[in-house]
């Protein structure tokens, strides 16, 4: 008898797990339970709208979802329509692929002022995430600060400064494109509490900021190590004798930033300023953000040392792109410090597994979730194959949702919505997204 597996969350981590269960030949019926009406998680609502090539993996996930042994239950929130305990009763295995949807807190005065947003909300807003379409970020000033030196900070800065023609082939939400392009914004400051050598940018994403149509990157050469230093600092892996990956990325990033300093003072209307060694200490303003104060830092042995020297940037918009946290699932332990579900290489409790950011914390690219799925499928196979107690699985979930009159969205319905979105893109944009359940239900009725 096949085992029944519920995967909570239909983002990359969930799909890679379903895919691994199928490819490893585990005899399983797999139900993907997703709180949004649409699948694909960060592919749809996290990856930048102008990075369409990263989103192509959704085609592969669609093939997985279309297999007979896999079902998609969109618009079903665990903790709202069905409880986690109920799922445990219905399924042999429950996989937590719930990601890390909450923003880390900045923990500084002023972070709750209007005009200050976490990247989860801000990125969700421009990506048409139903939870954030009403965010209405304040875009009425000339300057914005993006806090953090990771790829999300680069995404946010880039989306804010690209011209309308540069965004034509993106799937940015219409309301966001209009608001951003109507905004008076000319200067975006990317604030890092450490130096360029510690930044977590990947090189391709950093390089993009030097190739924009109407925006120039601004880097203070004094922030960069001397050229000789850059090539000499450690980084030989004792295991392989090779220059390690992190050092290669860091050297490449520094070379890219150096190339930015060499760009002639051009006539671009907008600028992205890299402000290194600046730890945010306060967002100032009376009834909204009016500026950000920071303290200059230096880095010694990887640690941030405050210098007692302060500076300020006047700005009406602050986006904190400083990482994410998972949410607590009632009935399960939660590591509040690390913002994840405690687990032993993915095993959370008997029959309960975690994958992706819920397992590891918010690091890595989309493909980093694939190994988690492979490990999880092996664990499920080793722990449970052939032991099915005949739990009701899908039939039980459908019965429960029926009794509760839950309007779940099937994968076939999602495919109709997907086709409608692509058609609305008019052959230029990859799609025009529905951004609410009501719009999606209306389209399905139509
Ligand atoms: P991240 O890479 O972890 O970067 C977070 C940044 O925030 C770091 O620079 C960190 O500095 C800084 N930070 C944390 N707390 C702070 C505080 N209190 N004050 C000031 N700065 C603070 O996180 P992310 O940018 O959210 O990205 C998450 C993951 O998604 C990453 O693995 C990223 O590569 C991936 N991603 C990839 C792409 C892509 O491939 N195109 C796009 C988007 C995201 P410290 O280093 O000092 O802690």
């Amino acid at each position: 008898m096949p085992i029944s597996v519920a995967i909570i969350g239909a983002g990359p981590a969930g799909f890679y797990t379903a895919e691994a269960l199928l490819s490893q030949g585990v005899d399983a019926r797999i139900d993907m339970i997703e709180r949004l009406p649409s699948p694909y998680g960060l592919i749809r609502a996290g990856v930048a709208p102008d990075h369409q090539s990263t989103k192509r993996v959704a085609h592969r996930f669609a093939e997985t979802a279309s297999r007979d042994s896999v079902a998609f239950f969109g618009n079903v929130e665990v903790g709202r329509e069905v409880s986690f305990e109920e799922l445990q009763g219905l399924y042999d295995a429950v996989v937590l692929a719930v990601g890390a949807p909450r923003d880390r807190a900045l923990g500084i005065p002023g972070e709750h002022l209007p005009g200050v947003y976490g990247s989860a909300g801000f990125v969700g807003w421009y990506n048409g995430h139903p939870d954030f379409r009403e965010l209405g970020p304040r875009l009425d000033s000339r300057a914005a600060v993006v806090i953090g030196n990771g790829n999300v900070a680069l995404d946010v800065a880039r989306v804010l400064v690209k011209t309308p023609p540069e965004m034509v082939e993106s799937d940015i939400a219409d309301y966001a494109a209009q608001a951003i392009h109507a905004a008076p914004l000319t200067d975006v400051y990317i604030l890092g509490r450490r130096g360029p050598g510690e930044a977590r940018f990947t090189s391709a994403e950093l390089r993009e900021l030097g190739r924009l149509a109407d925006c120039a990157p601004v880097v203070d050469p004094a922030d960069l190590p001397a050229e000789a230093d850059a090539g000499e600092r450690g980084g030989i892996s004792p295991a392989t004798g090779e220059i390690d990956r992190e050092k290669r990325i860091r050297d490449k990033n520094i070379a890219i930033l150096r190339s930015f300093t060499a760009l002639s003072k051009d006539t671009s209307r907008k600028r992205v300023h890299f402000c290194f060694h600046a730890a945010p200490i306060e967002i100032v303003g009376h009834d909204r953000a009016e500026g950000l104060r920071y303290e200059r830092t230096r880095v010694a042995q990887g640690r941030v040392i405050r210098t007692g020297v302060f500076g300020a940037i006047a700005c009406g918009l602050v986006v904190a792109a400083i990482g994410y946290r998972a949410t607590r699932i009632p009935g399960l332990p939660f590591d509040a410090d690390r913002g994840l579900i405690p687990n032993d290489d993915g095993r959370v409790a008997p029959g309960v597994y975690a994958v992706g950011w819920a397992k590891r914390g918010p690091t890595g690219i989309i493909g980093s979730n694939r190994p988690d799925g492979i490990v999880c499928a092996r664990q499920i196979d080793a722990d449970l194959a052939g032991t099915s107690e005949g739990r009701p699985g899908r039939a039980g979930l459908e019965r429960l949702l029926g009794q509760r009159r839950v309007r779940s969205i099937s994968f076939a319905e999602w495919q109709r919505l997907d086709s409608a979105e692509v058609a609305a893109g008019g052959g230029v944009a990859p799609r025009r997204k529905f951004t609410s359940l009501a719009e999606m239900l209306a389209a399905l009725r139509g």
Side-chain angles (χ1 to χ4, degrees):
M1 180 185 287
I3 53 171
S4 53
V5 180
I7 299 178
I8 308 177
F15 268 105
Y16 279 123
T17 304
E19 183 183 289
L21 284 163
L22 294 170
S23 67
Q24 289 175 29
V26 181
D27 188 14
R29 302 243 300 165
I30 304 161
D31 293 345
M32 306 194 67
I33 300 166
E34 166 60 52
R35 122 189 150 72
L36 292 178
S38 53
Y40 309 140
L42 282 185
I43 299 287
R44 181 171 168 90
V47 171
D50 58 337
H51 278 181
Q52 288 296 313
S53 59
T54 311
K55 298 184 185 231
R56 275 193 214 123
V57 70
H59 296 300
R60 168 177 169 164
F61 295 159
E63 280 171 26
T64 298
S66 303
R67 299 276 288 268
D68 288 343
S69 53
V70 181
F72 171 74
F73 292 86
N75 195 37
V76 176
E77 182 169 345
V78 176
R80 191 181 59 186
E81 277 79 24
V82 56
S83 73
F84 179 72
E85 289 78 8
E86 285 169 332
L87 289 182
Q88 275 187 299
L90 290 173
Y91 289 86
D92 296 307
V94 180
V95 180
L96 305 164
V98 291
R102 303 256 173 278
D103 284 302
R104 261 195 207 141
L106 270 171
I108 59 173
E111 74 175 300
H112 300 297
L113 281 171
V116 184
Y117 309 93
S119 54
F122 196 78
V123 170
W125 171 73
Y126 63 58
N127 271 329
H129 188 303
D131 287 358
F132 302 109
R133 59 182 233 143
E134 308 294 346
L135 187 76
R138 301 208 171 192
L139 296 167
D140 54 354
S141 56
R142 299 181 68 82
V145 171
V146 183
I147 303 173
N149 269 183
N151 282 329
V152 172
L154 294 182
D155 283 348
V156 170
R158 192 180 66 252
V159 168
L160 283 174
V161 297
K162 270 192 164 181
T163 58
E166 287 178 293
M167 293 301 282
V168 161
E169 292 175 21
S170 81
D171 61 359
I172 189 169
D174 280 341
Y175 58 74
Q178 282 160 17
I180 290 171
H181 296 138
L185 204 71
T186 54
D187 291 83
V188 177
Y189 297 81
I190 300 182
L191 204 75
R193 62 181 170 182
R194 301 196 282 158
E198 290 80 32
R200 301 198 195 166
F201 309 136
T202 48
S203 304
E205 282 64 29
L206 182 58
R207 199 174 289 116
E208 264 186 285
L209 282 184
R211 297 178 175 159
L212 300 180
D214 198 13
C215 178
V218 180
V219 177
D220 182 349
D223 276 331
L224 301 178
E227 286 205 52
D229 288 358
E232 279 170 12
R233 281 183 290 162
I236 306 287
S237 157
T240 62
E242 288 174 11
I243 297 178
D244 77 43
R245 189 172 170 274
E246 275 190 21
K247 174 173 160 46
R248 268 205 327 268
I249 295 172
R250 186 184 65 198
D251 288 351
K252 235 193 230 178
N253 283 350
I254 290 174
I256 295 165
L257 290 164
R258 200 181 306 287
S259 74
F260 290 170
T261 65
L263 292 177
S264 56
K265 291 265 172 287
D266 68 9
T267 52
S268 298
R269 206 166 57 88
K270 297 187 179 181
R271 287 154 297 276
V272 170
H273 307 255
F274 287 86
C275 306
F276 295 108
H277 297 117
I281 54 166
E282 182 182 7
I283 295 157
V284 291
H286 293 294
D287 48 9
R288 61 165 297 173
E290 291 168 21
L292 178 139
R293 292 185 63 236
Y294 60 84
E295 183 169 358
R296 302 289 305 175
T297 65
R298 61 188 175 81
V299 177
Q301 273 131 22
R303 296 176 59 121
V304 176
I305 316 271
R306 308 269 176 152
T307 63
V309 178
F310 299 90
I313 300 168
C315 61
L317 172 70
V318 177
V319 181
I322 60 167
Y324 300 110
R325 301 165 54 77
T327 37
R328 183 186 292 276
I329 296 184
L332 283 180
F334 187 68
D335 182 338
D337 289 338
R338 298 171 66 206
L340 50 74
I341 297 162
N343 64 88
D344 178 9
D345 194 22
R347 285 189 172 96
V348 175
V352 182
Y353 305 83
V355 289
W357 282 6
K359 168 185 178 181
R360 290 179 281 115
T363 58
I365 56 173
I366 299 295
S368 314
N369 295 295
R370 191 162 171 263
D372 291 347
I374 292 170
V375 167
C376 182
R378 283 199 195 119
Q379 290 170 339
I380 290 176
D381 197 23
D383 297 350
L384 298 169
T387 68
S388 175
E389 297 165 6
R391 291 190 207 213
R394 186 173 307 163
L397 179 65
E398 282 171 343
R399 198 175 316 121
L400 205 91
L401 296 178
Q403 284 162 1
R404 294 177 186 169
R405 299 181 184 283
V406 176
R407 174 59 169 101
S408 64
I409 305 276
S410 68
F411 198 70
E413 287 178 314
W414 159 250
Q415 286 180 306
R416 283 169 53 203
L417 295 170
D418 183 39
S419 301
E421 286 191 347
V422 171
V428 183
R431 67 179 64 240
R432 284 279 165 261
K433 286 179 188 167
F434 297 113
T435 60
S436 72
L437 175 65
E439 284 176 2
M440 292 191 200
L441 292 178
L444 287 173
R445 280 194 298 273

